[in-house]
């Protein structure tokens, strides 16, 4: 009797337990899945959203005019846009891979007429194909491209298109392209009256001073509270504290937001990201784009700056995604004392672990503008000779340096020459000439000298023709074709081009690191 009673009581308890489990699982109103700490909520919109194709573009376009003459276009100048949009519209298909030492790039650079798109570092093909028509094999699609070089062979009239791997060892030639000799000549024609540049090692230096714009621009700011609401799951559970340096730190116990520079600069950290050594640059860049769209947005024109990856895939350089802001045609340069003009993110397997940016947004119209001249020629070359880490320089360009003004929420943007290193960092090379300097007289003198030299050269060519000697129309010299290597003969088409551009020197370094300026700027 007692045993039966125990069995009955136990059965009732089991049934009640099952009923309770059912009610908890299906009858609780508003039951939702718990979000993890790496999830975020979309709050009030701050800046504008962007698409990936709007932030990936060359940092410069070099126009090779032949006869050791070059000029350079910078975004977003009128001629730059014309050339870049035309190349975006054509296709490059069926790539063949060669060692970069197979060609004499020095001779091609100095003698061939062509156009070169430089990205300032390796951009994954998976990202490039979102803005250009590229079709290749798996090896090509998995590579990173640092520049695209298109030129014409004056002997055959053929157009050759090469894409350079960022590893510095390989180059891909497009087997098929829609470009014609007329197209390349049209591109090169945009540079006929541009500022002349000369090659100095891996980079190019203008022979003349260049005209630039100095501006005073007002700005508006988002509040740190807006960014806090965007980044934290429940801002009401956060704690705030002050550091000895005066910066404020907001944390929810796991993530942190440091607010400095009088509330105008924020640095976010999320140490709860997945721990792994695997990192995919394409995934990280796309994740960075979405993260910025959701948390702060974009201010004006920004460019993705490729950072040379470290040998260690888990190293900081391999996980860094960097975007640089422009003012008109000028990249913005700042320092650690006053930060502005860039957004930097660290990611781990597509999850943002660090995020730093300004909360200031520039107003559309400048308060004031004035013309300044940046030095060229020997003065600029001398300044470059005194730079540290010269072997790491990948680009030289005209920029504007941020100088804060203590009143009226304004910034002074002063033109400078700047260099970018392989790790994405920047340094100022030289400032503008003294106020009141006018480079117009310098340009007129150069034009007169260039005209006299051209006339003298034509006379020499005419005399040689009368004597019956063949004259190279590009170099103005008597002798063999461009880039021929003494004592070496190659059959046409052996590696995709006529033998005149091949070299028997396997150790010849590739040409890299072009710097430049375009005078047709677009400054609002």
């Amino acid at each position: 009797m007692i045993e039966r009673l125990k069995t009955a009581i136990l059965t009732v308890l089991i049934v009640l337990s099952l009923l309770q489990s059912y009610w908890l699982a299906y009858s609780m109103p508003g039951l939702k899945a718990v979000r993890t700490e790496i999830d975020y909520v979309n709050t009030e919109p701050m800046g504008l959203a962007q698409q990936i194709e709007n932030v990936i573009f060359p940092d410069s376009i070099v126009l090779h005019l032949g006869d050791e003459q070059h000029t350079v276009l910078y975004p977003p100048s009128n001629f730059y846009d014309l050339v870049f949009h035309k190349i975006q519209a054509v296709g490059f298909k069926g790539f063949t891979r060669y060692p970069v030492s197979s060609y004499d790039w020095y001779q091609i650079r100095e003698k061939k007429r062509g156009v070169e798109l430089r990205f300032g570092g390796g951009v994954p093909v998976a990202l490039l194909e979102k803005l250009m028509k590229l079709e290749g094999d798996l090896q090509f699609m998995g590579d990173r491209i640092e520049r695209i070089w298109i030129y014409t062979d004056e002997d055959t009239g053929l157009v050759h298109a090469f894409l350079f791997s960022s590893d510095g060892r390989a180059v891909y030639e497009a087997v098929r392209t829609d470009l014609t000799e007329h197209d390349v000549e049209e591109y090169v024609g945009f540079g006929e009256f541009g500022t002349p540049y000369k090659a100095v090692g891996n980079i190019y230096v203008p022979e003349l001073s260049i005209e630039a714009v100095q501006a005073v621009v007002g700005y508006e700011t988002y509040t740190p509270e807006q960014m806090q609401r965007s980044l934290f799951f429940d801002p009401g559970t956060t704690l705030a504290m002050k550091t000895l340096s005066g910066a404020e730190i907001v944390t929810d116990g796991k993530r942190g937001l440091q607010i400095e520079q009088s509330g105008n600069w924020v640095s976010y950290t999320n140490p709860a990201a997945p721990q792994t050594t695997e990192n995919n640059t394409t995934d990280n860049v796309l994740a960075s784009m979405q993260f910025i769209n959701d948390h702060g947005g974009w201010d004006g024109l920004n460019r993705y700056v490729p950072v040379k990856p470290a040998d260690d895939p888990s190293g900081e350089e391999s996980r860094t995604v960097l975007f640089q802001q422009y003012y008109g045609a000028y990249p913005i340069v700042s320092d650690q004392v006053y930060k502005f003009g860039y957004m930097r993110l660290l990611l781990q397997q597509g999850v943002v672990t660090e995020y730093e940016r300004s909360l200031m947004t520039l107003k559309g119209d400048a308060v004031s503008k004035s013309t300044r001249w940046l030095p060229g020629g020997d003065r600029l070359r001398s300044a470059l000779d005194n730079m540290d880490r010269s072997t790491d320089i990948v680009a030289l360009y005209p920029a504007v340096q941020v100088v804060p003004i203590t009143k009226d929420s304004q910034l002074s943007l002063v033109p400078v020459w700047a260099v970018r290193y392989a790790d994405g960092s920047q340094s100022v090379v030289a400032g503008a000439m003294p106020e009141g300097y006018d480079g117009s007289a310098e340009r007129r003198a150069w034009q007169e000298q260039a005209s006299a030299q051209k006339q003298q050269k034509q006379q020499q060519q005419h005399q040689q023709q009368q004597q019956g000697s063949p004259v190279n129309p590009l170099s103005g010299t008597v002798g063999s074709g461009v880039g021929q290597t003494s004592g070496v003969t190659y059959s046409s088409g052996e590696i995709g081009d006529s033998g005149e551009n091949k070299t028997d020197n396997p150790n010849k370094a590739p040409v890299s690191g072009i710097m430049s300026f375009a005078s047709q700027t677009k400054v609002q």
Side-chain angles (χ1 to χ4, degrees):
M1 183 69 181
I2 296 176
E3 292 299 327
R4 290 181 180 179
L5 181 60
K6 289 181 179 179
T7 302
I9 293 173
L10 182 60
T11 302
V12 171
L13 291 174
I14 292 174
V15 172
L16 290 175
S17 177
L18 292 174
L19 287 174
Q20 185 179 29
S21 298
Y22 176 84
W23 290 331
L24 288 172
Y26 298 101
S27 301
M28 294 295 290
L31 188 65
K32 296 182 180 179
V34 177
R35 301 182 71 179
T36 66
E37 54 268 12
I38 61 174
D39 289 330
Y40 302 91
V41 291
N42 291 324
T43 59
E44 58 190 282
M46 295 172 63
L48 298 175
Q50 278 289 10
Q51 300 294 324
I52 187 66
E53 57 268 22
N54 295 329
V55 299
I56 296 182
F57 49 88
D59 65 3
S60 62
I61 295 179
V62 183
L63 301 180
H64 301 290
L65 312 181
D67 200 17
E68 301 182 359
Q69 299 297 316
H70 317 271
T71 192
V72 190
L73 310 176
Y74 263 80
S77 66
N78 295 324
F79 287 157
Y80 174 101
D81 289 344
L82 285 171
V83 174
F84 185 43
H85 292 159
K86 285 178 179 290
I87 292 177
Q88 280 184 289
V90 302
F92 301 94
K93 304 176 182 178
F95 294 95
T96 304
R97 180 185 172 100
Y98 303 113
V100 72
S101 57
S102 298
Y103 288 80
D104 189 340
W105 298 106
Y106 173 81
Q107 291 293 334
I108 295 175
R109 180 185 69 181
E110 300 300 341
K111 302 302 179 183
K112 298 291 186 181
R113 292 170 67 83
V115 57
E116 187 176 354
L117 281 63
R118 292 186 170 266
F119 294 92
V123 178
V125 174
L127 293 177
L128 274 183
E129 67 172 348
K130 294 183 181 298
L131 56 145
M132 306 181 72
K133 300 176 181 178
L134 303 174
E135 294 183 15
D137 58 18
L138 290 177
Q139 184 179 29
F140 171 74
M141 299 303 292
D143 210 336
R144 302 174 188 230
I145 301 301
E146 67 177 9
R147 53 190 170 133
I148 300 174
W149 197 332
I150 302 163
Y151 70 89
T152 56
D153 187 328
E154 72 280 358
D155 294 331
T156 64
L158 296 177
V159 175
H160 299 274
F162 291 89
L163 282 71
F164 288 73
S165 172
S166 61
D167 65 9
R169 299 189 296 269
V171 62
Y172 299 89
E173 182 177 13
V175 176
R176 299 185 302 279
T177 178
D178 300 330
L179 288 169
T180 66
E181 182 179 14
H182 174 76
D183 294 329
V184 177
E185 284 301 314
E186 181 184 5
Y187 306 154
V188 174
F190 293 142
E192 293 292 345
F193 301 100
T195 300
Y197 282 73
K198 290 291 184 181
V200 178
N202 308 355
I203 55 178
Y204 280 62
V205 176
E207 290 293 282
L208 306 172
S209 299
I210 62 170
E211 191 174 2
V213 175
Q214 180 168 318
V216 174
V217 184
Y219 64 86
E220 299 173 338
T221 60
Y222 296 111
T223 65
E225 289 74 23
Q226 286 177 286
M227 185 60 75
Q228 182 181 345
R229 288 195 295 270
S230 175
L231 289 169
F232 289 101
F233 203 37
D234 184 3
T237 63
T238 59
L239 298 175
M241 63 189 77
K242 288 280 188 179
T243 66
L244 294 177
S245 63
E248 181 182 358
I249 296 179
V250 179
T251 179
D252 63 357
K254 296 180 179 179
R255 294 166 296 182
L257 181 68
Q258 180 167 311
I259 304 163
E260 52 188 316
Q261 207 169 287
S262 300
N264 292 329
W265 186 266
V266 293
S267 300
Y268 167 79
T269 55
N270 174 25
Q275 298 302 312
T276 176
T277 58
E278 296 182 3
N279 265 295
N280 182 285
T281 300
T282 298
D283 292 343
N284 283 348
V285 172
L286 294 176
S288 296
M289 291 285 301
Q290 187 60 53
F291 191 89
I292 295 174
N293 285 344
D294 293 340
H295 308 289
W298 305 77
D299 179 26
L301 179 66
N302 287 263
R303 190 181 77 88
Y304 165 61
V305 179
V307 176
K308 184 179 180 179
D311 295 334
D312 180 7
S314 62
E316 184 171 305
E317 292 87 352
S318 301
R319 301 187 294 116
T320 298
V321 177
L322 181 64
F323 298 97
Q324 182 169 32
Q325 185 177 347
Y326 278 66
Y327 175 71
Y330 304 95
I332 297 175
V333 177
S334 64
D335 53 34
Q336 292 302 310
V337 177
Y338 196 88
K339 305 173 189 176
F340 181 75
Y342 68 91
M343 290 182 285
R344 176 181 171 274
L345 302 93
L346 281 181
L347 294 95
Q348 191 72 42
Q349 202 175 4
V351 177
V352 174
T353 61
E354 296 182 20
Y355 173 42
E356 56 178 330
R357 62 167 297 154
S358 174
L359 295 183
M360 298 185 292
T361 60
L362 296 178
K363 293 183 178 180
D365 297 325
V367 176
S368 65
K369 291 182 183 179
S370 60
T371 299
R372 300 291 300 273
W373 290 82
L374 291 172
D378 292 338
R379 185 188 296 266
L380 182 55
R381 281 190 285 266
S382 177
L384 283 166
D385 289 340
N386 296 323
M387 292 294 295
D388 295 330
R389 300 169 56 196
S390 58
T391 57
D392 292 335
I393 294 175
V394 297
L396 169 76
Y397 45 91
V400 287
Q401 186 174 25
V402 177
V403 179
I405 299 176
T406 57
K407 61 178 182 178
D408 300 330
S409 297
Q410 295 176 351
L411 296 175
S412 178
L413 302 178
V414 181
V416 296
W417 279 110
V419 293
R420 183 183 301 110
Y421 298 100
D423 62 2
S425 61
Q426 303 176 96
S427 292
V428 173
V429 179
M433 302 293 283
E435 290 191 41
Y437 176 84
D438 187 357
S440 302
E442 177 186 350
R443 287 180 169 269
R444 285 193 297 269
W446 178 86
Q447 289 173 349
E448 292 175 359
Q449 181 181 4
S451 179
Q453 291 176 345
K454 183 177 180 180
Q455 185 176 5
Q456 182 182 7
K457 187 174 183 179
Q458 290 174 342
Q459 291 175 351
Q460 291 176 348
Q461 290 178 347
H462 180 68
Q463 292 174 358
Q464 290 171 347
Q465 288 174 345
Q466 287 183 331
Q467 295 172 1
S469 299
V471 180
N472 188 319
L474 287 176
S475 64
T477 60
V478 182
S480 61
V482 176
Q484 286 184 330
T485 305
S486 177
V488 181
T489 303
Y490 297 92
S491 62
S492 177
E494 182 176 346
I495 58 171
D497 194 6
S498 60
E500 63 177 0
N501 296 318
K502 291 187 66 176
T503 175
D504 59 347
N505 182 1
N507 299 317
K508 192 169 186 67
V511 179
S512 63
I514 298 294
M515 58 183 174
S516 55
F517 177 77
S519 60
Q520 295 80 17
T521 58
K522 296 179 181 178
V523 178
Q524 298 296 326

